Amino acid sequence: MSRDRYVDFLRAWAIGLVVLGHWLITALVREPGGEIRAPELLATVPWTQWLTLEFQIMPLFFLAGGHAAGGSWVQARAAGGTAAGWVRARALRLLLPAAVYSGLVLSAVGICSAVGVDPNTLELVGWAMAMQFWFLPVYLLLSTLTPPLHAAHRRWGLLVPMAMGAVALVVDTLVVTVHTPYVGLLDYVLVWGVAYQLGFCWRDGLLTEGRPLPAALAAGGALAFAALITLGPFPISLILVTGQTPSNTDPPSAAILAWAVAQVGLCLLAAPAVRRLLDRERVWRAVRPVGGAGMTLYLWHMLPVLIVAAAFYLTGLAPEPALGSAAWWGLRLPWLLVLGVVLTGVVRALRPLERGLSLLHERTRPDPGFSRFSRSYRSWLPWLGLAASVTALTRFAPDGRFPVLPALGLLLGTALLTARRRTTADRDTGEPKEALREAA
């Protein structure tokens, strides 16, 4: 009852748009030799890049994540929890399903490669099943940084996202003008971190209590975005387009920072009306299952594309009008409906796995009620596990070959995060390992 339904709605809305957007722009073509390729719609039909303004919804993920993480960390601190225990618990929520998903995908790629499946086909499979993984290392890094970021928020409030945005602009200037190598990686944390930090501010009322900030954020961000794409060097597309330089997402640019600020403002302006809708139990019952299956939907939503490709494109049953033609767009509706039906079946089939992962998370996550025993837990293990996991996820992109090192890195990282160590109190009392639990 204490959950903010609007925050859960934002997660569900964002996941729904991610799934719909990926499905909408995915085009499949069967070559004369029978192989399947996926032409890039945004590059082939340039006007479709305007659609990314509707579907680039990742700022809402980070805004909602910051709101939820801020509340969770405050509760954990009040219960005497430690940063290591809290970060470990938050990371496992992402890594357990991600590790299982990647393990199954990599096993399938390895088996197919061993039996001689065409490498080009495996590259298409790897692209479809790993395209969403960029989000996980960025979110894990921000989760890891939550304790110091929230401490900065408590001291300086809105000055923190303002400072992060200013540094992000300096970094982006270096990327665009002098092409400084690697410095752009900082903007993955800085740009998305602005939305994450604004989530703290939102939760504590700094954006809404007697302040006209939502309208200012929406208008200011939208105007800045318009100026950057018309007068500046940035493209309209808010999703990576091959050959487009500079890109708005690789690394995140000043334009996508402006769009994130505008999106946060619009989200806050819409909050009162949407909350009134969510107070209706019928509406809430429709929203809640999407949030509950959010990680499953996010990870597995491209599997239906592969299933449909095998069933209709490899067999030659699917009609193939010219990409971007009126007939092609007309077929998008049945395409989306078929994928929706398949995804529903996939989600239902994965329910036992979801329940198993939930039980595993409950058994391995720290417990705020036993934080006095947590000091003896080797606190460097979560940090080492996170480092291994983040590094592995940044390189997780099966391209027709089995990515041995990323697979081992993710396995090692997840194992370190799930590892438990019995304390002296456990050995003396014979109590179960729940006594080691830290702040969740």
Side-chain angles (χ1 to χ4, degrees):
M1 295 300 294
S2 63
R3 293 184 68 89
D4 188 332
R5 288 185 174 185
Y6 186 53
V7 176
D8 289 340
F9 165 79
L10 289 180
R11 287 200 191 97
W13 179 253
I15 289 169
L17 283 184
V18 166
V19 172
L20 183 61
H22 284 169
W23 286 355
L24 186 65
I25 66 173
T26 298
L28 299 177
V29 174
R30 185 174 186 269
E31 298 289 353
E35 64 273 12
I36 303 297
R37 65 181 181 90
E40 192 173 352
L41 178 66
L42 299 178
T44 307
V45 187
W47 70 262
T48 59
Q49 294 179 26
W50 287 91
L51 297 176
T52 63
L53 301 184
E54 299 287 336
F55 291 103
Q56 179 49 274
I57 207 73
M58 298 311 295
L60 294 188
F61 268 117
F62 290 100
L63 177 70
H67 188 288
S72 175
W73 174 233
V74 166
Q75 292 175 357
R77 288 176 63 246
T82 63
W86 183 86
V87 168
R88 175 173 169 262
R90 300 289 288 189
L92 283 175
R93 287 184 179 274
L94 291 176
L95 281 176
L96 286 176
V100 171
Y101 171 85
S102 60
L104 293 174
V105 170
L106 291 176
S107 298
V109 169
I111 292 171
C112 291
S113 179
V115 299
V117 173
D118 176 49
N120 292 329
T121 300
L122 287 181
E123 186 174 357
L124 175 62
V125 172
W127 163 79
M129 301 305 284
M131 63 186 299
Q132 69 274 35
F133 261 41
W134 74 268
F135 167 80
L136 296 177
V138 178
Y139 198 86
L140 281 170
L141 278 173
L142 288 171
S143 295
T144 303
L145 294 172
T146 293
L149 286 176
H150 198 267
H153 159 74
R154 294 196 306 272
R155 183 167 183 177
W156 293 296
L158 283 169
L159 291 177
V160 181
M162 292 172 63
M164 292 174 70
V167 176
L169 293 177
V170 173
V171 170
D172 197 39
T173 301
L174 294 174
V175 171
V176 173
T177 57
V178 297
H179 309 290
T180 307
Y182 303 113
V183 70
L185 295 175
L186 293 173
D187 269 351
Y188 281 99
V189 174
L190 290 170
V191 171
W192 300 119
V194 168
Y196 193 80
Q197 199 79 21
L198 287 173
F200 297 160
C201 298
W202 178 28
R203 181 184 179 274
D204 290 346
L206 298 181
L207 300 179
T208 54
E209 290 183 1
R211 300 169 185 264
L213 274 180
L217 291 173
L223 289 173
F225 176 77
L228 287 166
I229 65 171
T230 54
L231 304 176
F234 301 102
I236 183 63
S237 177
L238 295 178
I239 296 175
L240 179 65
V241 177
T242 301
Q244 199 172 70
T245 304
S247 165
N248 281 326
T249 56
D250 187 24
S253 70
I256 205 165
L257 173 60
W259 190 250
V261 171
Q263 203 170 85
V264 168
L266 290 172
C267 165
L268 297 177
L269 289 173
V274 178
R275 280 197 171 102
R276 286 193 293 270
L277 284 175
L278 294 173
D279 285 338
R280 302 177 183 178
E281 286 304 314
R282 183 177 299 178
V283 176
W284 177 237
R285 283 197 299 269
V287 171
R288 186 171 53 189
V290 179
M295 197 62 182
T296 301
L297 291 171
Y298 185 81
L299 288 173
W300 292 92
H301 72 271
M302 290 300 287
L303 179 60
V305 173
L306 299 179
I307 294 173
V308 171
F312 294 97
Y313 284 85
L314 284 178
T315 59
L317 295 176
E320 296 187 51
L323 183 63
S325 65
W328 187 86
W329 284 107
L331 287 171
R332 289 288 90 180
L333 180 58
W335 163 259
L336 295 175
L337 290 175
V338 170
L339 292 178
V341 170
V342 176
L343 182 61
T344 300
V346 169
V347 171
R348 288 182 175 177
L350 290 171
R351 279 179 181 171
L353 178 61
E354 282 185 329
R355 288 193 291 268
L357 289 175
S358 295
L359 291 173
L360 179 59
H361 182 264
E362 287 300 313
R363 293 181 62 184
T364 57
R365 74 177 179 89
D367 189 326
F370 294 92
S371 60
R372 61 184 181 275
F373 298 115
S374 68
R375 309 295 176 175
S376 61
Y377 182 78
R378 300 296 293 274
S379 61
W380 56 267
L381 284 179
W383 309 121
L384 182 60
L386 277 166
S389 300
V390 168
T391 302
L393 287 169
T394 60
R395 300 177 179 276
F396 185 90
D399 57 358
R401 297 168 295 178
F402 189 90
V404 177
L405 291 179
L408 291 176
L410 187 58
L411 177 63
L412 173 64
T414 306
L416 288 175
L417 282 163
T418 55
R420 309 296 299 258
R421 183 183 180 216
R422 288 175 61 85
T423 64
T424 302
D426 285 328
R427 290 190 293 269
D428 292 344
T429 63
E431 292 293 325
K433 54 191 174 183
E434 280 76 11
L436 288 172
R437 291 185 176 178
E438 305 169 17

